[in-house]
Amino acid sequence: MMFNWLSLITGLFYIVLGVVVMLYKFFFTVLEPGIAYALGVLLILYGLFRIYRAVTRIKNSGDEK
């Protein structure tokens, strides 16, 4: 159960990281604007996927009880 909550928090961090990459155009090195936006969108989408997966696992764990 704790893994599901940690996965939810990790998803939020990925979303924040994606926004930061898009705003500052920096991810271990200075990025071109196009690459920064593409990487930012990819990180945000992955964060949303992690949150979706965590929420479905939390809901399913409640059904099993």
Side-chain angles (χ1 to χ4, degrees):
M1 184 69 170
M2 188 63 162
F3 176 76
N4 296 333
W5 289 103
L6 288 175
S7 184
L8 187 71
I9 292 170
T10 304
L12 291 173
F13 281 127
Y14 272 110
I15 292 173
V16 170
L17 180 62
V19 171
V20 168
V21 166
M22 288 189 333
L23 288 178
Y24 293 107
K25 294 167 187 55
F26 183 82
F27 188 72
F28 295 112
T29 185
V30 177
L31 299 172
E32 304 248 346
I35 294 176
Y37 288 123
L39 181 60
V41 168
L42 185 66
L43 288 168
I44 290 170
L45 289 175
Y46 183 64
L48 291 173
F49 170 73
R50 294 279 306 234
I51 291 172
Y52 170 75
R53 194 171 67 169
V55 167
T56 55
R57 284 186 180 186
I58 290 170
K59 284 184 181 179
N60 288 339
S61 69
D63 292 340
E64 293 174 358
K65 292 182 181 180

